[in-house]
């Protein structure tokens, strides 16, 4: 029997209340470790305190609230920061759904013999300090060395930002003791068009894609734009343009692989100078490591050919790698059953975006995710989700929690 009672109306009201914090027109700017994010955490903490949650904040700025009996908790939730002028649902809706699952369990008078803890992660987007999944990285022991010293565009470090929020300034202290969580479940909007196309409300995530990202530099020779014949040029930008086209082809040749050049710099950058150097970002993602590797290989082959053809020298700098993360198999099964109990036949999907759930799974905590159908893309004010779909996700999550903790 399904847990009844998630309220689409309450979900919509709460999503709207969060969207007012940092509102910019139709969008939201609520960057990590700012007073706006802190206010969002405080609002969620108030809802959870009303549900009898024991609220605490950790040294990384994440907020938690626990309900239910003793022992190791099942952690549920998502993040409360946004990108600049982002949408109101990315992250925030997952937290609202987690709270709503507890509302539904209470309404159904389900006794939680084991604890459930709701989390609102800090700075998942990594916009301000360039450190994505920051809050969950701190909690799951995956922060890079010297993370606290990273600074934002104004020179404020993470340590200083934490102190401004009344914390001690050492995010590594947020480390959750290994083995102390039973599971982590994250509801999140899909941020893509697949569920809407299939006419389904929810999906269960199988795998979070692997990512390779870094910088490519093409070095040519700076010359006069009027006096240098075409045959004698070593134009770094023209070579980079060919290489970028080759990158797009390399990704398109592999099913489910994507590659993006999102940012480019040209030196010296004048209309009458043949570019001497061109550097650009490269981001390659795929649900299988071998596809990530194959795209990178194809890029290197294309770069070597262009070096010969155009007399340039291309280097692929060190590529940072995020491994492909398969989410917990038995939780996947449980979540599909829970979705079915909530009346939704949920397909399995790969996530092309990184999520906090990765850090849990990589730290040995069985992790699962429920995707909620969304429209209008994501990281944009056009982002949209139907509160009735979110209510279905809350019902499924409540059902899963009843099985795990009831
Ligand atoms: Zn998100």
């Amino acid at each position: 029997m399904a847990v009844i009672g998630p309220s689409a109306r309450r979900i919509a009201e709460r999503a709207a209340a969060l969207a007012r914090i940092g509102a910019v027109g139709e969008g939201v700017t609520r960057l990590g470790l700012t007073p706006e994010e802190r206010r969002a955490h405080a609002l969620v903490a108030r809802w959870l305190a009303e549900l009898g949650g024991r609220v605490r904040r950790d040294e990384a700025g994440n907020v938690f609230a626990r309900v239910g009996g003793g022992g190791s908790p099942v952690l549920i939730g998502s993040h409360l920061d946004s990108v600049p002028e982002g949408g109101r649902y990315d992250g925030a809706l997952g937290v609202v759904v987690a709270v709503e699952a507890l509302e539904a369990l209470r309404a159904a008078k389900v006794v939680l013999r084991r604890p459930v803890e709701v989390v609102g992660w800090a700075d998942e987007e990594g916009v301000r300090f360039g450190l994505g999944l920051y809050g969950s990285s701190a909690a799951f022991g995956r922060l890079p060395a010297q993370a606290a010293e990273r600074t934002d565009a104004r020179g404020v470090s993470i340590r200083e930002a934490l102190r401004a929020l009344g914390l001690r300034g050492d995010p590594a202290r947020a480390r959750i003791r290994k083995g102390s969580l039973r599971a982590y479940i994250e509801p999140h909007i899909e941020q893509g068009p697949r569920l809407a196309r299939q006419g389904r409300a929810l999906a269960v995530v199988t795998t979070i894609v692997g990512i390779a990202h870094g910088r490519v530099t093409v070095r040519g020779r700076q010359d006069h734009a009027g006096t240098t014949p075409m045959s004698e040029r070593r134009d770094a930008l023209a070579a980079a343009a060919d290489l970028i086209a080759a990158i797009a082809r390399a990704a398109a040749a592999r099913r489910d692989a994507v590659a993006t050049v999102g940012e480019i710099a040209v030196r010296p950058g004048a209309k009458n100078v043949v570019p001497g150097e061109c550097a650009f970002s490269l981001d390659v993602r795929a649900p299988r490591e071998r596809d990530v590797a194959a795209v990178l290989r194809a890029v290197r082959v294309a770069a070597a050919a262009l070096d010969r053809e155009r007399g340039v020298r291309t280097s692929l700098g060190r590529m940072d790698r995020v491994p492909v993360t398969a989410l917990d198999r038995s939780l996947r099964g449980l979540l599909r059953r829970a979705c079915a109990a909530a009346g939704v036949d949920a397909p399995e999907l790969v996530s092309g975006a990184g999520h906090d759930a990765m850090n849990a799974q990589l730290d040995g905590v069985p992790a699962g995710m429920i995707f909620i159908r969304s429209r209008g893309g994501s990281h944009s004010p056009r982002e949209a989700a139907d509160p009735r779909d979110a209510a279905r996700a809350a019902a499924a999550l409540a059902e899963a929690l009843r099985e795990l903790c009831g």
Side-chain angles (χ1 to χ4, degrees):
M1 188 197 71
V3 174
I4 40 128
S7 159
R9 192 176 48 81
R10 185 164 46 207
I11 287 171
E13 284 168 4
R14 285 179 167 172
L18 282 171
R20 282 194 288 276
I21 305 174
V24 183
E26 288 298 296
V28 179
T29 299
R30 200 165 55 231
L31 303 191
L33 306 185
T34 57
E36 290 76 32
E37 187 195 55
R38 177 78 192 109
R39 278 172 58 207
H41 283 200
L43 179 58
V44 169
R46 200 165 79 220
W47 298 332
L48 288 161
E50 282 163 12
L51 280 164
R54 302 181 290 285
V55 176
R56 72 183 168 89
R57 191 157 62 127
D58 72 10
E59 287 293 331
N62 301 308
V63 70
F64 297 85
R66 189 180 287 215
V67 298
S72 311
V74 170
L75 189 64
I76 60 173
S78 189
H79 62 97
L80 287 168
D81 64 313
S82 79
V83 298
E85 298 180 39
R88 57 167 63 184
Y89 299 108
D90 177 3
L93 190 65
V95 177
V96 169
V97 163
V99 177
E100 192 60 28
L102 295 188
E103 298 273 6
L105 288 167
R106 186 166 79 161
K109 299 195 164 55
V110 172
V111 176
L112 294 170
R113 287 180 296 108
R114 299 175 189 236
V116 176
E117 197 159 55
V118 176
V119 62
W121 297 116
D123 198 5
E124 186 268 353
E125 302 287 2
V127 171
R128 189 173 164 199
F129 299 100
L131 200 62
L133 310 180
Y134 154 82
S136 59
S137 295
F140 294 113
R142 300 186 59 80
L143 277 180
Q146 255 92 58
E149 312 311 328
R150 296 238 186 161
T151 53
D152 68 8
R154 287 180 309 166
V156 177
S157 67
I158 287 181
R159 184 185 306 288
E160 289 162 334
L162 289 171
R163 286 183 178 154
L165 294 169
L167 296 161
R168 280 180 285 186
D170 182 6
R173 285 168 175 270
R175 176 78 169 108
I176 293 174
R177 194 165 43 79
K178 221 170 155 65
S180 65
L181 290 176
R182 287 180 61 214
Y184 172 68
I185 304 174
E186 179 167 356
H188 199 285
I189 60 165
E190 184 206 345
Q191 301 175 280
R194 293 168 297 176
L195 281 175
R197 265 190 210 135
Q198 292 179 33
R200 314 266 198 118
L202 305 175
V204 174
V205 177
T206 53
T207 300
I208 299 175
V209 293
I211 307 174
H213 59 101
R215 276 188 94 63
V216 180
T217 307
V218 181
R219 291 186 180 84
R221 194 182 60 213
Q222 183 178 333
D223 272 311
H224 193 293
T227 59
T228 317
M230 294 310 285
S231 59
E232 288 176 32
R233 293 183 182 210
R234 294 196 228 151
D235 183 329
L237 179 55
D242 282 353
L243 183 54
I244 291 166
I247 288 168
R249 284 195 301 274
R254 299 247 149 201
R255 200 166 61 87
D256 298 328
V258 292
T260 305
V261 174
E263 182 261 309
I264 189 164
V266 181
R267 276 181 56 194
K271 78 177 177 63
N272 56 355
V273 181
V274 175
E277 187 180 302
C278 179
F280 57 86
S281 64
L282 174 61
D283 177 302
V284 177
R285 304 178 185 214
R288 286 173 304 206
E289 297 288 0
R290 65 172 184 274
D291 288 333
V292 176
V295 172
L296 289 177
R297 223 165 26 241
V299 172
R300 287 181 205 282
V301 169
L306 281 166
D307 283 2
R308 287 192 300 273
E309 250 169 63
R310 290 185 169 270
V312 296
R313 207 154 32 83
T314 301
S315 58
L316 268 72
R318 191 176 60 86
M319 300 295 281
D320 285 326
R321 299 294 285 263
V322 179
V324 170
T325 311
L327 298 183
D328 185 75
R329 188 170 281 280
S330 81
L331 267 185
R332 267 156 60 184
L334 169 66
L335 290 175
R336 289 197 72 183
R337 287 198 305 281
C339 287
V344 180
D345 178 15
E348 292 195 325
L349 282 189
V350 167
S351 172
H355 290 289
D356 293 305
M358 294 164 60
N359 279 329
Q361 184 71 46
L362 292 171
D363 193 37
V365 179
M369 288 192 76
I370 301 173
F371 269 172
I372 301 160
R373 170 168 54 191
S374 58
R375 294 174 203 276
S378 188
H379 287 184
S380 136
R382 297 192 317 281
E383 182 182 279
D386 187 331
R388 288 168 299 183
D389 290 343
R392 292 180 181 110
L397 181 54
E399 191 60 36
L401 292 173
R402 187 166 66 163
E403 196 164 318
L404 288 167
C405 303

